[in-house]
């Protein structure tokens, strides 16, 4: 029996993603771990029928859940399924269908509404596919721009998080041929401020060390292979150093930076474009990577992979990233609470620091 009071357990909403992808399979595999109920209350935004479809496909899964249509009946001792729709939906694992995208959006928007209304404390999103979600009713290239719009955020940041690294992106879902115009001093400064703020507020790092990657091969080779480093990136780093309290270094040549393990020397890395950051991140995160949207007034995380239609419905998908996404969401919620408490009571922060030092000293003595 858990010793944590029910009202102290964060309520974590989980959107189901594309019905024909691996989202619901991963969700069921993850939340079937009974220990999860000791630290949070999961709420899946889907339908009973969709949950039962995938539960039958996982014969070893003995998940029990409570169905609800309003949060007045939330059960902190069970997994909850918030029914976003009642109609029958044809689920065809592995196929890209209009229905798969339609109900992924319904799940997501329902979860975001619950987040806005304070019914849930954090959101974990299962993967969606742009081909069957983007349109007139959902004119977004993915979760990040949608959440920015939904919460009227001035600026947001895609921050990839793993136990051994954190990688932020200056540009996200932008074609490589269109990246150049986004490499501006103002954009770099804006993203660096978001990285710095997130490290302090979301990860408890007072004076973060941030690395900035170059845009061109060999970081421009002093202007021989492009001039963005000399004319834009270096001046941005210099100005940020003068304004902020973080340690910022760069621009680094991206290939050598990761190959030599420099990412482990920094609290965060700012990459210039999607694949520059995501290829090494996914290669080195060992299946435990998480996509976190920094800059929002709420906490949202996601696994670092897509819908994986090629393995959907085959009971072979690895839930490690989904598990990490839920735990990262919980960690950031608690860290933000501590950050707010420390701001309102600076003496508490000093006390916590002395306590941590005392614990370290005891460990060393033992």
């Amino acid at each position: 029996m858990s010793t944590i009071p029910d009202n102290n357990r964060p309520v974590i909403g989980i959107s189901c993603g594309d019905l024909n992808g691996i989202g619901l399979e991963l969700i069921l595999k993850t939340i079937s771990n009974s220990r999860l109920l000791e630290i949070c209350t999961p709420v899946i935004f889907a339908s009973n029928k969709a949950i039962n479809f995938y539960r039958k496909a996982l014969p070893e899964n003995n998940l029990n859940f409570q169905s609800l249509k309003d949060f007045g009946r939330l059960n902190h001792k069970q997994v909850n399924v918030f029914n976003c729709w009642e109609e029958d939906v044809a689920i065809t694992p592995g196929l890209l269908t209009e229905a798969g995208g339609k109900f992924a959006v319904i799940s997501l928007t329902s979860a975001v509404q619950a987040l806005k209304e304070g019914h849930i404390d954090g959101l974990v999103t299962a993967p969606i596919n742009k081909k069957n979600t983007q349109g007139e009713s959902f004119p977004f290239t993915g979760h990040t721009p949608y959440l920015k719009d939904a919460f009227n955020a001035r600026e947001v940041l895609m921050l990839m998080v793993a136990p051994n690294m954190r990688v932020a992106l200056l540009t996200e879902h932008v074609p490589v041929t269109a990246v150049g115009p986004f490499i501006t001093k103002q954009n770099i400064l804006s993203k660096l401020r978001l990285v710095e703020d997130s490290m302090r507020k979301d990860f408890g790092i007072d004076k973060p060390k941030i690395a900035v990657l170059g845009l061109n091969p060999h970081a421009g080779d002093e202007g021989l292979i492009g001039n963005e480093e000399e004319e834009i990136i270096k001046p941005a780093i210099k100005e940020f150093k003068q304004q902020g309290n973080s340690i910022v270094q760069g621009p680094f040549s991206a290939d050598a930076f990761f190959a030599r393990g420099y990412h482990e020397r920094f609290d965060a890395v700012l990459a210039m474009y999607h694949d520059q950051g995501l290829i090494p991140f996914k290669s080195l995160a060992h299946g435990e990577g998480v996509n976190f949207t920094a800059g929002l007034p709420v906490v949202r995380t996601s696994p670092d992979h897509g819908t994986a239609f090629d393995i959907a419905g085959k009971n072979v998908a690895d839930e490690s990233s989904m598990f990490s996404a839920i735990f990262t969401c919980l960690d950031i919620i608690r860290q933000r609470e501590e950050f707010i408490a420390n701001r309102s009571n600076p003496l508490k922060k000093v006390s916590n620091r002395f306590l941590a030092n005392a614990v370290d000293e005891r460990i060393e003595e033992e």
Side-chain angles (χ1 to χ4, degrees):
M1 180 179 292
S2 172
T3 58
I4 304 172
D6 289 345
N7 59 0
N8 285 345
R9 296 181 197 167
V11 180
I12 303 299
I14 309 172
S15 64
C16 67
D18 194 300
L19 292 182
N20 299 321
I22 60 173
L24 277 174
E25 176 186 331
L26 295 181
I27 292 168
L28 295 186
K29 286 180 176 179
T30 302
I31 63 176
S32 63
N33 187 330
S34 59
R35 295 190 317 178
L36 200 63
L37 286 172
E38 297 178 6
I39 56 175
C40 71
T41 302
V43 180
I44 308 171
F45 288 80
S47 73
N48 294 343
K49 293 174 183 177
I51 298 296
N52 285 326
F53 177 92
Y54 279 98
R55 190 169 62 163
K56 290 175 184 176
L58 301 171
E60 73 282 3
N61 193 300
N62 297 315
L63 173 71
N64 291 314
F65 64 88
Q66 172 180 278
S67 173
L68 68 152
K69 292 183 180 179
D70 68 83
F71 284 91
R73 297 184 61 247
L74 187 69
N75 187 338
H76 288 275
K77 294 182 169 128
Q78 266 192 303
V79 173
N80 297 263
V81 174
F82 186 87
N83 279 265
C84 307
W85 66 85
E86 293 292 339
E87 57 261 57
D88 290 322
V89 182
I91 299 177
T92 51
L95 296 181
L96 180 72
T97 67
E98 183 180 343
K102 173 185 174 182
F103 289 96
V105 171
I106 290 174
S107 169
L108 175 61
T109 53
S110 298
V112 166
Q113 187 60 36
L115 193 57
K116 286 181 175 181
E117 294 173 358
H119 297 304
I120 60 177
D121 300 302
L123 173 63
V124 177
T125 58
I128 60 176
N129 191 291
K130 298 171 189 60
K131 289 183 179 178
N132 62 0
T133 55
Q134 191 174 3
E136 289 185 11
S137 60
F138 190 81
F140 305 99
T141 57
H143 286 105
T144 304
Y146 164 68
L147 291 165
K148 177 185 176 184
D149 180 78
F151 289 96
N152 296 314
R154 186 181 64 83
E155 186 66 83
V156 294
L157 176 77
M158 183 183 286
L159 181 61
M160 309 304 293
V161 179
N164 60 340
M165 62 196 302
R166 300 182 190 92
V167 178
L169 301 182
L170 181 74
T171 60
E172 296 159 9
H173 298 129
V174 176
V176 174
T177 53
V179 166
F182 289 92
I183 310 299
T184 67
K185 185 178 176 182
Q186 187 55 45
N187 282 347
I188 294 170
L189 287 170
S190 177
K191 295 297 185 183
L192 281 173
R193 291 188 195 102
L194 279 171
V195 173
E196 181 182 63
D197 182 64
S198 182
M199 290 302 105
R200 291 174 180 161
K201 180 172 65 177
D202 303 322
F203 298 94
I205 303 169
D206 289 335
K207 191 171 184 178
K209 291 180 64 179
I210 306 169
V212 180
L213 302 183
L215 173 67
N216 299 296
H218 307 296
D221 216 354
E222 296 184 351
L224 295 175
I225 317 175
N227 56 16
E228 285 85 357
E229 285 77 12
E230 299 299 320
E231 296 181 2
I232 300 171
I233 301 175
K234 285 184 180 180
I237 292 172
K238 182 178 179 180
E239 182 172 331
F240 188 78
K241 284 180 178 179
Q242 295 170 346
Q243 296 177 353
N245 297 314
S246 301
I247 299 170
V248 184
Q249 296 179 7
F252 292 96
S253 175
D255 58 347
F257 182 85
F258 291 103
R260 294 171 183 169
Y262 289 168
H263 58 280
E264 296 188 354
R265 302 181 186 181
F266 292 87
D267 298 305
V269 180
L270 179 63
M272 294 295 106
Y273 57 94
H274 186 278
D275 283 12
Q276 184 189 58
L278 268 290
I279 289 174
F281 178 84
K282 292 187 177 184
S283 300
L284 299 170
H286 308 301
E288 298 180 357
V290 174
N291 180 354
F292 166 58
T293 308
L296 292 174
V298 295
V299 181
R300 173 263 173 170
T301 62
S302 177
D304 71 344
H305 54 71
T307 51
F309 287 134
D310 56 324
I311 60 171
K314 298 179 181 178
N315 194 14
V316 296
D318 183 355
E319 70 271 26
S320 298
S321 185
M322 176 63 76
F323 204 79
S324 295
I326 292 175
F327 272 86
T328 300
C329 187
L330 289 167
D331 286 343
I332 294 173
I333 288 171
R334 293 190 175 109
Q335 183 56 52
R336 285 192 179 185
E337 290 174 350
E338 186 174 327
F339 178 80
I340 292 169
N342 287 338
R343 285 185 66 183
S344 61
N345 183 5
L347 292 177
K348 181 179 178 181
K349 185 174 183 179
V350 174
S351 174
N352 288 343
R353 189 183 303 123
F354 281 128
L355 178 61
N357 290 339
V359 171
D360 289 342
E361 289 171 4
R362 283 186 58 189
I363 291 172
E364 289 176 3
E365 290 173 0
E366 293 172 359

